[in-house]
Amino acid sequence: MAFNFNYPLLLILIPVIALFMFFTSKSLKRLVKWRRRTMLVLRALIFLLVVLCLAGFGIKKTSDKITTVFLVDGSDSMAGSITRGEEFLKEALKFKKRYDKVAVVNFGENSMVEFTPSEDINFLSLQTKINSTFTNIEQALTYAASLIPSEDRKRIVLVTDGRQNAGDALKSAKVLKSQGITLDIFPVVNTHQEDVQIKEIKVPDTLRLKEKFEISVKLQSNIKTKARLKLY
């Protein structure tokens, strides 16, 4: 159990109000002692409650249970190493405590849940389909954090080669830290070679002399890079 304030800076009003009560208490000297003390206590309680309400006071109940989200990079850049990531996950699950919860998320450009937070999962391999062209770790971390019950202790394990080509993972990691979420990383050494290839070229079947026309070129790449295409 912990105390939580949405606007902690407003707590500086407490000493200000204490000074105010000290100087205004002189006007109560005409009252008998017990009435004066009662008035001061009631005023203090009312002012304290008002300040706590303005500061967004709340009690946060924390659980002894840990919810861990395994975030597995299933993008194209992991094509040659995804099996290693899956084997790591299966080995890690052997050390899960009985009442702790585990979730598994597959991600690329988008994220898909393999298992929602549960005390009992039977993971064999990644089954969900994602857009594997991009690696958006920022989006994946934000998505994983949303799966964890608010009352549980929170942990995310990121399994990736780190080759993001969308989003800002560092930005999301800072947000997780501010939320008290532990982020661990299992780096995967990529054995898949960098590759850029032309998948398809479309041109009109027939053309007249000096006629303007469009060429459609479809490229596929497992890395973020620049390219120059020359047509002859």
Side-chain angles (χ1 to χ4, degrees):
M1 183 180 294
F3 298 118
N4 182 55
F5 295 95
N6 294 330
Y7 309 101
L9 287 178
L10 290 178
L11 295 177
I12 62 175
L13 291 174
I14 292 178
V16 175
I17 291 173
L19 288 173
F20 171 78
M21 290 183 60
F22 175 76
F23 289 111
T24 57
S25 63
K26 297 178 181 179
S27 61
L28 301 176
K29 287 184 177 180
R30 294 172 298 174
L31 300 176
V32 295
K33 192 174 183 179
W34 69 270
R35 284 189 175 181
R36 184 167 67 249
R37 288 182 176 178
T38 302
M39 288 288 293
L40 288 174
V41 170
L42 289 175
R43 284 185 179 182
L45 287 175
I46 292 171
F47 282 129
L48 180 61
L49 290 174
V50 170
V51 172
L52 292 178
C53 289
L54 291 174
F57 172 74
I59 298 176
K60 185 177 180 181
K61 184 179 179 181
T62 56
S63 171
D64 292 332
K65 296 181 180 179
I66 300 175
T67 294
T68 301
V69 179
F70 286 92
L71 202 53
V72 185
D73 186 348
S75 63
D76 290 341
S77 66
M78 284 277 290
S81 307
I82 192 64
T83 302
R84 187 181 176 207
E86 292 172 337
E87 290 300 321
F88 161 76
L89 203 161
K90 286 187 282 188
E91 187 66 23
L93 289 176
K94 295 179 182 179
F95 298 93
K96 185 189 83 67
K97 294 182 180 179
R98 182 178 178 183
Y99 296 108
D100 288 342
K101 299 174 186 175
V102 171
V104 180
V105 175
N106 181 22
F107 79 94
E109 181 184 29
N110 60 318
S111 299
M112 295 293 291
V113 176
E114 296 276 338
F115 292 94
T116 56
S118 174
E119 295 178 3
D120 184 24
I121 69 170
N122 183 24
F123 175 81
L124 296 176
S125 63
L126 297 175
Q127 300 294 323
T128 55
K129 302 298 181 182
I130 57 169
N131 183 352
S132 59
T133 306
F134 294 92
T135 304
N136 192 336
I137 298 177
E138 177 186 1
Q139 182 274 338
L141 290 173
T142 302
Y143 184 80
S146 69
L147 296 176
I148 305 176
S150 59
E151 68 274 9
D152 288 0
R153 294 164 61 188
K154 304 169 179 62
R155 179 174 177 239
I156 296 175
V157 178
L158 177 62
V159 182
T160 180
D161 60 0
R163 297 185 178 185
Q164 65 173 352
N165 54 12
D168 185 349
L170 183 59
K171 175 183 175 183
S172 190
K174 291 179 179 178
V175 173
L176 295 181
K177 184 178 180 180
S178 68
Q179 295 174 343
I181 300 176
T182 300
L183 174 61
D184 295 321
I185 301 174
F186 179 75
V188 178
V189 178
N190 196 339
T191 58
H192 192 65
Q193 298 296 318
E194 297 179 353
D195 182 56
V196 179
Q197 58 180 302
I198 297 176
K199 299 290 290 184
E200 185 180 25
I201 297 179
K202 289 184 179 180
V203 296
D205 294 331
T206 58
L207 290 168
R208 297 191 185 93
L209 184 64
K210 296 184 179 181
E211 179 184 357
K212 293 183 179 180
F213 63 96
E214 292 184 353
I215 298 178
S216 175
V217 181
K218 185 178 180 181
L219 302 176
Q220 182 173 341
S221 173
N222 60 11
I223 58 170
K224 183 179 181 180
T225 185
K226 295 180 180 180
R228 178 180 295 177
L229 182 64
K230 293 184 179 181
L231 300 174
Y232 299 94

